[in-house]
Amino acid sequence: METMELAFEEFGDPDNSPLIILHGFFASSRNWRQIAQKLSARFHVYVPDMRNHGVSSHHPLMDYPSMAADLLRFIDDRGLETASLLGHSMGGKVAMWFALTAPDRVNKLIVADIAPVSYKHSFDNTVLALKALPLAEINNRKQAETVLASRIPELSYRQFLLQNLILKDGKYCWRLNLDIFQQMAPNIAAFPNADHLAPFTGKALFIAGGDSDFVKLEDIKSLFPEAAFSTIADAGHWLHVQQPDVFTTLVENF
C-alpha cells in the first residue's frame, strides 16, 4: 500500500510521552491547536494533517486502511515504539483501525464521539454545497459564508468548512480536492469489516457528547472489551470545541 508523508504540528517537550491527535473529515491540525497546547504541558503532542487534508498531499484513495498505514509510517519516521492516540470522528476511526491492526504500537487509545460502525449519513450535501460556491465571484470569506448559508444553515459548521478556503494569487480556491472527497466520502462514513481481527485489549477510552447519538456502548465492547466510557454533558459531536476544559481533563486523567 502506498503511504504518504504527513505534514504535522508539534507541541511540548520531546522527553514527554508521545500523544498523536487525529482530526476529523474536512478538518486539519489547526483545528486542534488549542487542545494540543493544553495537553502539551504533560505530553509530546503531534497533530498530523491526514492525507487530502490541511497541507498534506492529495491522493485519490482515502479509506481507513490507507490512513492507518500513513499513521504507521508517521510513527516509524519519528522513531517511536509506541504512542497514545486521540482521534475525533474520522480520526477516531483511523485510531481504532490502527489499534486493531497494530496493537503493539498503541499505548492508550482515546476515541472522541465515534464508534467502529458504518453510519448511514451522507456527506453529499456538504461536498455539493462547497462545489457550488462561485469562487470566481467571492471577494472575501464573509461573502463565501453568506452564500453557503442556504445550503449549510449551521453557522459553526459553515465557518469550520470555510477554513479550507484559501487565497492564492489573489483568488479564492479550495485547499481540498473536492472530487476526491466526493468519491471517498462513503469510505469515511463506513468502517472496514473487522471480523477477522482480534479485539484490542489495551487501555481505551471512548468519550461521547451527551447531545450526540454517534456512540452506543454495544457497538464498542466486542472490538474494545477493556474500553472505559465517558459522556460530556451539553456537548454534541464537536465535544472538544463545545466543552474544551472538560474534554482536556478527561484526556489527561486517562
Side-chain angles (χ1 to χ4, degrees), residues 12 14 43 49 55 79 85 88 96 103 126 140 143 146 155 182 200 202 210 214 219 225 238 246 250:
F43 305 98
D49 286 337
V55 293
L85 304 179
H88 171 249
M96 287 186 282
T126 299
N140 57 60
Q143 188 185 0
T146 305
L155 174 63
Q182 189 170 23
F200 176 74
F214 275 94
D219 293 332
W238 305 93
V246 180
L250 279 172

mmCIF file of all heavy atoms in Angstrom, residues 12 14 43 49 55 79 85 88 96 103 126 140 143 146 155 182 200 202 210 214 219 225 238 246 250:
data_model
loop_
_atom_site.group_PDB
_atom_site.id
_atom_site.type_symbol
_atom_site.label_atom_id
_atom_site.label_comp_id
_atom_site.label_asym_id
_atom_site.label_seq_id
_atom_site.Cartn_x
_atom_site.Cartn_y
_atom_site.Cartn_z
ATOM 1 N N GLY A 12 5.097 20.724 22.882
ATOM 2 C CA GLY A 12 5.544 20.116 24.134
ATOM 3 C C GLY A 12 6.958 19.557 24.090
ATOM 4 O O GLY A 12 7.641 19.575 23.065
ATOM 5 N N PRO A 14 9.911 17.013 23.925
ATOM 6 C CA PRO A 14 10.151 15.708 23.292
ATOM 7 C C PRO A 14 10.439 14.575 24.286
ATOM 8 O O PRO A 14 10.339 13.402 23.923
ATOM 9 C CB PRO A 14 11.361 15.971 22.387
ATOM 10 C CG PRO A 14 11.349 17.435 22.131
ATOM 11 C CD PRO A 14 10.805 18.063 23.376
ATOM 12 N N PHE A 43 2.355 16.089 27.685
ATOM 13 C CA PHE A 43 2.672 15.143 26.614
ATOM 14 C C PHE A 43 3.479 15.817 25.509
ATOM 15 O O PHE A 43 3.439 17.037 25.362
ATOM 16 C CB PHE A 43 1.380 14.570 26.000
ATOM 17 C CG PHE A 43 0.458 13.945 26.994
ATOM 18 C CD1 PHE A 43 -0.622 14.658 27.504
ATOM 19 C CD2 PHE A 43 0.665 12.651 27.445
ATOM 20 C CE1 PHE A 43 -1.480 14.101 28.436
ATOM 21 C CE2 PHE A 43 -0.182 12.078 28.378
ATOM 22 C CZ PHE A 43 -1.261 12.804 28.880
ATOM 23 N N ASP A 49 -1.699 16.348 9.677
ATOM 24 C CA ASP A 49 -2.774 16.530 8.697
ATOM 25 C C ASP A 49 -2.909 15.204 7.959
ATOM 26 O O ASP A 49 -1.947 14.747 7.329
ATOM 27 C CB ASP A 49 -2.409 17.622 7.680
ATOM 28 C CG ASP A 49 -2.502 19.029 8.251
ATOM 29 O OD1 ASP A 49 -3.232 19.227 9.234
ATOM 30 O OD2 ASP A 49 -1.825 19.926 7.709
ATOM 31 N N VAL A 55 -2.303 20.708 4.937
ATOM 32 C CA VAL A 55 -1.243 20.920 3.947
ATOM 33 C C VAL A 55 -0.570 19.606 3.537
ATOM 34 O O VAL A 55 0.459 19.619 2.853
ATOM 35 C CB VAL A 55 -0.189 21.954 4.437
ATOM 36 C CG1 VAL A 55 -0.822 23.325 4.545
ATOM 37 C CG2 VAL A 55 0.430 21.557 5.771
ATOM 38 N N GLY A 79 10.561 7.570 14.953
ATOM 39 C CA GLY A 79 11.338 6.678 15.802
ATOM 40 C C GLY A 79 10.631 6.292 17.091
ATOM 41 O O GLY A 79 11.272 5.992 18.097
ATOM 42 N N LEU A 85 -2.971 7.465 21.169
ATOM 43 C CA LEU A 85 -3.729 8.053 20.057
ATOM 44 C C LEU A 85 -5.009 8.686 20.581
ATOM 45 O O LEU A 85 -5.720 8.093 21.391
ATOM 46 C CB LEU A 85 -4.096 6.980 19.028
ATOM 47 C CG LEU A 85 -2.957 6.151 18.431
ATOM 48 C CD1 LEU A 85 -3.524 5.124 17.448
ATOM 49 C CD2 LEU A 85 -1.933 7.039 17.730
ATOM 50 N N HIS A 88 -10.752 12.031 16.756
ATOM 51 C CA HIS A 88 -12.140 12.508 16.737
ATOM 52 C C HIS A 88 -12.778 12.172 15.398
ATOM 53 O O HIS A 88 -12.183 12.397 14.338
ATOM 54 C CB HIS A 88 -12.180 14.026 16.948
ATOM 55 C CG HIS A 88 -13.538 14.635 16.728
ATOM 56 N ND1 HIS A 88 -13.823 15.463 15.661
ATOM 57 C CD2 HIS A 88 -14.695 14.505 17.428
ATOM 58 C CE1 HIS A 88 -15.100 15.831 15.721
ATOM 59 N NE2 HIS A 88 -15.647 15.267 16.771
ATOM 60 N N MET A 96 -8.918 3.692 15.753
ATOM 61 C CA MET A 96 -9.449 2.362 16.074
ATOM 62 C C MET A 96 -8.898 1.306 15.125
ATOM 63 O O MET A 96 -8.486 0.222 15.561
ATOM 64 C CB MET A 96 -10.984 2.379 16.031
ATOM 65 C CG MET A 96 -11.630 3.088 17.198
ATOM 66 S SD MET A 96 -13.431 2.946 17.193
ATOM 67 C CE MET A 96 -13.916 4.148 15.968
ATOM 68 N N PRO A 103 -1.749 -3.339 17.306
ATOM 69 C CA PRO A 103 -1.989 -3.089 18.739
ATOM 70 C C PRO A 103 -0.720 -2.888 19.560
ATOM 71 O O PRO A 103 -0.725 -2.153 20.547
ATOM 72 C CB PRO A 103 -2.743 -4.344 19.202
ATOM 73 C CG PRO A 103 -2.446 -5.393 18.176
ATOM 74 C CD PRO A 103 -2.252 -4.661 16.886
ATOM 75 N N THR A 126 -22.852 18.400 1.898
ATOM 76 C CA THR A 126 -21.704 19.245 2.242
ATOM 77 C C THR A 126 -20.790 19.434 1.037
ATOM 78 O O THR A 126 -20.439 20.567 0.677
ATOM 79 C CB THR A 126 -20.912 18.622 3.405
ATOM 80 O OG1 THR A 126 -21.763 18.528 4.544
ATOM 81 C CG2 THR A 126 -19.698 19.458 3.752
ATOM 82 N N ASN A 140 -14.379 37.912 -0.409
ATOM 83 C CA ASN A 140 -13.904 37.748 0.972
ATOM 84 C C ASN A 140 -14.619 36.561 1.615
ATOM 85 O O ASN A 140 -15.609 36.057 1.096
ATOM 86 C CB ASN A 140 -14.107 39.036 1.792
ATOM 87 C CG ASN A 140 -15.560 39.489 1.797
ATOM 88 O OD1 ASN A 140 -16.442 38.759 2.241
ATOM 89 N ND2 ASN A 140 -15.819 40.682 1.272
ATOM 90 N N GLN A 143 -18.367 36.870 2.566
ATOM 91 C CA GLN A 143 -19.257 36.690 1.410
ATOM 92 C C GLN A 143 -19.473 35.198 1.133
ATOM 93 O O GLN A 143 -20.595 34.751 0.876
ATOM 94 C CB GLN A 143 -18.628 37.380 0.188
ATOM 95 C CG GLN A 143 -19.543 37.441 -1.030
ATOM 96 C CD GLN A 143 -18.817 38.025 -2.239
ATOM 97 O OE1 GLN A 143 -17.646 38.369 -2.159
ATOM 98 N NE2 GLN A 143 -19.526 38.127 -3.354
ATOM 99 N N THR A 146 -21.869 33.771 3.639
ATOM 100 C CA THR A 146 -23.260 34.166 3.365
ATOM 101 C C THR A 146 -23.856 33.323 2.241
ATOM 102 O O THR A 146 -24.993 32.849 2.331
ATOM 103 C CB THR A 146 -23.324 35.666 2.975
ATOM 104 O OG1 THR A 146 -22.705 36.425 4.011
ATOM 105 C CG2 THR A 146 -24.753 36.129 2.797
ATOM 106 N N LEU A 155 -24.154 27.830 11.409
ATOM 107 C CA LEU A 155 -23.059 28.796 11.277
ATOM 108 C C LEU A 155 -21.707 28.198 11.656
ATOM 109 O O LEU A 155 -20.728 28.349 10.928
ATOM 110 C CB LEU A 155 -23.347 30.029 12.151
ATOM 111 C CG LEU A 155 -22.223 31.068 12.223
ATOM 112 C CD1 LEU A 155 -21.936 31.673 10.865
ATOM 113 C CD2 LEU A 155 -22.558 32.172 13.233
ATOM 114 N N GLN A 182 -15.677 13.781 -2.613
ATOM 115 C CA GLN A 182 -16.980 13.263 -3.055
ATOM 116 C C GLN A 182 -16.908 11.760 -3.308
ATOM 117 O O GLN A 182 -17.791 11.002 -2.903
ATOM 118 C CB GLN A 182 -17.417 14.008 -4.319
ATOM 119 C CG GLN A 182 -18.841 13.699 -4.736
ATOM 120 C CD GLN A 182 -19.311 14.640 -5.845
ATOM 121 O OE1 GLN A 182 -18.509 15.210 -6.585
ATOM 122 N NE2 GLN A 182 -20.625 14.808 -5.970
ATOM 123 N N PHE A 200 -9.018 -5.322 20.385
ATOM 124 C CA PHE A 200 -7.941 -4.552 21.016
ATOM 125 C C PHE A 200 -8.157 -4.607 22.526
ATOM 126 O O PHE A 200 -9.159 -4.101 23.033
ATOM 127 C CB PHE A 200 -7.956 -3.101 20.519
ATOM 128 C CG PHE A 200 -6.933 -2.223 21.197
ATOM 129 C CD1 PHE A 200 -5.586 -2.341 20.887
ATOM 130 C CD2 PHE A 200 -7.320 -1.282 22.142
ATOM 131 C CE1 PHE A 200 -4.636 -1.533 21.501
ATOM 132 C CE2 PHE A 200 -6.380 -0.464 22.767
ATOM 133 C CZ PHE A 200 -5.029 -0.586 22.445
ATOM 134 N N GLY A 202 -6.004 -3.436 24.827
ATOM 135 C CA GLY A 202 -5.282 -2.393 25.549
ATOM 136 C C GLY A 202 -6.244 -1.405 26.205
ATOM 137 O O GLY A 202 -7.462 -1.540 26.116
ATOM 138 N N GLY A 210 -22.963 14.277 25.106
ATOM 139 C CA GLY A 210 -24.275 13.930 25.665
ATOM 140 C C GLY A 210 -25.420 14.186 24.696
ATOM 141 O O GLY A 210 -26.452 13.505 24.753
ATOM 142 N N PHE A 214 -23.927 9.347 18.154
ATOM 143 C CA PHE A 214 -22.969 8.598 17.345
ATOM 144 C C PHE A 214 -22.454 7.341 18.032
ATOM 145 O O PHE A 214 -22.008 6.419 17.365
ATOM 146 C CB PHE A 214 -21.763 9.479 16.991
ATOM 147 C CG PHE A 214 -21.972 10.344 15.773
ATOM 148 C CD1 PHE A 214 -22.434 11.650 15.901
ATOM 149 C CD2 PHE A 214 -21.703 9.864 14.504
ATOM 150 C CE1 PHE A 214 -22.621 12.446 14.790
ATOM 151 C CE2 PHE A 214 -21.888 10.655 13.384
ATOM 152 C CZ PHE A 214 -22.358 11.949 13.528
ATOM 153 N N ASP A 219 -21.903 -1.058 20.477
ATOM 154 C CA ASP A 219 -21.113 -1.050 19.244
ATOM 155 C C ASP A 219 -19.609 -1.133 19.518
ATOM 156 O O ASP A 219 -18.821 -1.328 18.599
ATOM 157 C CB ASP A 219 -21.392 0.233 18.441
ATOM 158 C CG ASP A 219 -22.808 0.280 17.893
ATOM 159 O OD1 ASP A 219 -23.378 -0.804 17.659
ATOM 160 O OD2 ASP A 219 -23.326 1.395 17.701
ATOM 161 N N PRO A 225 -12.991 -4.558 24.302
ATOM 162 C CA PRO A 225 -13.627 -5.083 25.512
ATOM 163 C C PRO A 225 -13.184 -4.389 26.798
ATOM 164 O O PRO A 225 -13.917 -4.399 27.791
ATOM 165 C CB PRO A 225 -13.214 -6.555 25.518
ATOM 166 C CG PRO A 225 -12.029 -6.650 24.625
ATOM 167 C CD PRO A 225 -12.201 -5.587 23.598
ATOM 168 N N TRP A 238 -19.140 17.865 18.292
ATOM 169 C CA TRP A 238 -17.927 18.699 18.384
ATOM 170 C C TRP A 238 -17.591 18.949 19.857
ATOM 171 O O TRP A 238 -17.365 20.064 20.288
ATOM 172 C CB TRP A 238 -18.139 20.007 17.625
ATOM 173 C CG TRP A 238 -18.555 19.738 16.222
ATOM 174 C CD1 TRP A 238 -19.832 19.662 15.741
ATOM 175 C CD2 TRP A 238 -17.706 19.424 15.116
ATOM 176 N NE1 TRP A 238 -19.823 19.334 14.403
ATOM 177 C CE2 TRP A 238 -18.545 19.176 13.996
ATOM 178 C CE3 TRP A 238 -16.321 19.332 14.962
ATOM 179 C CZ2 TRP A 238 -18.034 18.841 12.740
ATOM 180 C CZ3 TRP A 238 -15.817 18.998 13.709
ATOM 181 C CH2 TRP A 238 -16.676 18.764 12.625
ATOM 182 N N VAL A 246 -13.489 20.348 29.967
ATOM 183 C CA VAL A 246 -13.932 19.022 30.433
ATOM 184 C C VAL A 246 -13.252 17.944 29.589
ATOM 185 O O VAL A 246 -12.740 16.941 30.114
ATOM 186 C CB VAL A 246 -15.471 18.880 30.318
ATOM 187 C CG1 VAL A 246 -15.930 17.507 30.809
ATOM 188 C CG2 VAL A 246 -16.173 19.979 31.104
ATOM 189 N N LEU A 250 -10.559 15.019 30.924
ATOM 190 C CA LEU A 250 -10.795 13.581 30.732
ATOM 191 C C LEU A 250 -9.598 12.903 30.075
ATOM 192 O O LEU A 250 -9.163 11.820 30.488
ATOM 193 C CB LEU A 250 -12.041 13.362 29.868
ATOM 194 C CG LEU A 250 -13.395 13.438 30.542
ATOM 195 C CD1 LEU A 250 -14.518 13.380 29.498
ATOM 196 C CD2 LEU A 250 -13.584 12.305 31.544
#
